[in-house]
Amino acid sequence: MISGGFATSQLADFGADVVMVEHPEHGDALREWPPFEGDTSLWWKSAGRNKRCITLDLSAADGRDLLLKMIDDADLFFENFRPGTLERWDLGPETLRKHNPELIVVRLSGYGQTGPRSDKAGFGTIAEGISGWANANGFPDREPLLPPISLADLTAAQFAVQGAMFAIFERDIGGSGEGQVIDVSLYEPLFRLFLGDVEAYDRLGKRRTRTGNQHSSAAPRNVYETADNHIALSASSQPIFENVMHAIDRPDLIDDPRFETNDDRVNNAAALDSVIEEWTSERSRERVLTEMEAADAIVGPIYDMSEIFEDEQYDARNDIVEVTDDELGTLRTANTVPKFSRTSGYVDHAGPRHGQHNEAVYLDELGVSESRYEKLRSEGVI
């Protein structure tokens, strides 16, 4: 539901002409996700931004023909169905690439296109479980913890964009001139983020355990309570650790055998965190940040969205922009990431209405006659 849409949104943010195909009778599922303003999903306004939206029944013969005509000069084709769905409509990669040998087909699914689970439906929640992510997340005395955002889908989307750009580079710069198929599962991108864990189990039989806000390879690193709020602090290198000790007026702990090396600090992280929090809890968040930063410690506040909207760093980087929307009037949304020196991305519009660009695509670009257009619409093909 999310990975393909977010991947193509990222491409649209940087100038790709993304035409999103939805069923004529019912729109994308994200149009039904809260929060709503009136009948309009704000989830959709974000996920559908910068795209053109058309309706088309891919299971109909006429719908299949229209799609094939659309991909004749396309660079990329993203699909987010359960494996086998496109093939059932005779729209699998082989069919698509017969019409356009340069086409790059990006397939996103729960488990990928191969393997014993490939025919199963998959959501990000399940991927977060089998990837090892949920088991690693949370506190040691509690159950595994799922993320509060659609992490598997959003991570898979980034890998899908990365793969698509690799394939374009190989085709156009590498000189093959050929497209290919990119198979992205929801669980493998998360699994790939566990740097060192595969090797640690292979060589040492070591399995990651839940450590809460602590880090299994570096200390101190945690969320610390202040007199009025919380801060996040990380001191993964020796010089930064020493800066933190000077900031809290405990330079004596630099040579303490419990904290002398990073390995020592990891093994005694709870004791070290207790010393730091004893100091932070007696001071306001603002004072903690000021005194820590004065000592060149690496520290920051824990923000909610209201604080993000007011933060001068976000403002200086233009991280939130305002767009005009024909349903909501004006809407503020996250700006494009990352920043480019010459070809910056931009947000032109929020998620369009269902079928908003049908006439522009079918009549103006594909050359469908008005009589055929009306016939296709009356038959429910578009």
Side-chain angles (χ1 to χ4, degrees):
M1 289 171 56
I2 300 168
S3 57
F6 187 61
T8 50
S9 177
Q10 290 286 91
L11 292 168
D13 279 354
F14 288 92
D17 179 15
V18 177
V19 179
M20 181 173 178
V21 177
E22 298 175 81
H23 193 274
E25 294 181 9
H26 48 82
D28 189 272
L30 294 184
R31 292 182 183 273
E32 305 301 322
W33 273 35
F36 292 95
E37 182 174 334
D39 295 329
T40 302
S41 166
L42 298 179
W43 241 99
W44 166 253
K45 285 298 176 182
S46 179
R49 74 186 197 184
N50 285 343
K51 303 176 187 178
R52 297 195 291 163
C53 289
I54 65 171
T55 56
L56 186 64
D57 184 355
L58 300 181
S59 67
D62 285 338
R64 174 183 178 276
D65 291 344
L66 284 170
L67 181 74
L68 292 176
K69 189 172 183 180
M70 276 191 285
I71 62 97
D72 276 345
D73 60 353
D75 284 300
L76 297 166
F77 179 90
F78 279 75
E79 66 103 350
N80 214 162
F81 293 112
R82 186 189 295 202
T85 302
L86 283 181
E87 284 80 358
R88 192 166 65 248
W89 299 331
D90 193 22
L91 286 170
E94 289 187 5
T95 300
L96 297 176
R97 295 191 60 245
K98 280 182 183 177
H99 284 260
N100 180 357
E102 296 183 2
L103 185 70
I104 294 160
V105 179
V106 184
R107 315 194 75 175
L108 295 111
S109 61
Y111 300 97
Q113 303 295 315
T114 59
R117 297 182 182 174
S118 61
D119 62 343
K120 296 181 181 295
F123 282 151
T125 300
I126 311 308
E128 287 147 11
I130 70 168
S131 67
W133 198 93
N135 183 67
N137 190 43
F139 289 85
D141 59 342
R142 303 178 201 173
E143 71 277 3
L145 188 63
L146 293 167
I149 61 172
S150 303
L151 186 65
D153 293 87
L154 300 174
T155 305
Q158 301 295 349
F159 275 72
V161 171
Q162 173 181 284
M165 301 314 294
F166 286 163
I168 287 176
F169 188 92
E170 187 278 335
R171 184 193 68 188
D172 296 349
I173 308 301
S176 73
E178 295 184 18
Q180 56 184 303
V181 180
I182 301 171
D183 179 2
V184 185
S185 73
L186 294 185
Y187 77 92
E188 288 166 315
L190 281 182
F191 173 67
R192 181 65 183 91
L193 301 184
F194 284 95
L195 299 180
D197 285 50
V198 173
E199 295 79 2
Y201 181 74
D202 177 56
R203 304 300 298 176
L204 305 173
K206 185 176 180 180
R207 292 181 292 178
R208 181 184 286 268
T209 57
R210 290 186 290 284
T211 59
N213 289 319
Q214 294 177 340
H215 196 287
S216 61
S217 300
R221 186 264 202 177
N222 215 323
V223 170
Y224 299 91
E225 186 176 0
T226 66
D228 59 350
N229 212 297
H230 295 84
I231 57 99
L233 179 148
S234 179
S236 303
S237 68
Q238 187 67 27
I240 301 301
F241 162 68
E242 294 179 9
N243 291 345
V244 172
M245 294 302 99
H246 285 294
I248 67 173
D249 199 25
R250 291 300 306 271
D252 57 297
L253 296 181
I254 293 173
D255 296 320
D256 188 307
R258 296 173 298 167
F259 312 131
E260 196 166 4
T261 69
N262 182 64
D263 195 43
D264 294 330
R265 293 192 290 275
V266 169
N267 291 330
N268 295 282
L272 182 56
D273 285 342
S274 180
V275 172
I276 295 171
E277 192 162 74
E278 182 180 356
W279 183 87
T280 62
S281 63
E282 295 175 349
R283 292 159 174 80
S284 68
R285 183 175 76 176
E286 183 178 358
R287 184 180 171 189
V288 168
L289 295 174
T290 299
E291 295 185 16
M292 284 279 189
E293 289 177 348
D296 205 21
I298 299 177
V299 64
I302 306 292
Y303 277 167
D304 64 18
M305 189 57 70
S306 66
E307 292 171 302
I308 287 174
F309 264 60
E310 299 299 323
D311 184 75
E312 61 183 10
Q313 175 68 22
Y314 279 83
D315 183 58
R317 300 271 292 174
N318 200 30
D319 289 326
I320 299 173
V321 295
E322 186 172 272
V323 296
T324 300
D325 183 77
D326 59 6
E327 292 180 287
L328 300 176
T330 58
L331 176 71
R332 284 191 282 183
T333 186
N335 205 350
T336 60
V337 177
K339 311 294 186 187
F340 280 54
S341 65
R342 187 172 54 81
T343 56
S344 294
Y346 59 93
V347 184
D348 181 64
H349 60 82
R353 297 186 309 277
H354 185 224
Q356 182 172 332
H357 299 98
N358 276 0
E359 291 188 5
V361 171
Y362 293 126
L363 298 177
D364 300 340
E365 296 175 21
L366 293 188
V368 175
S369 67
E370 289 194 14
S371 60
R372 188 184 177 213
Y373 177 82
E374 291 301 328
K375 182 174 184 293
L376 291 169
R377 191 167 65 173
S378 66
E379 292 174 348
V381 176
I382 60 176

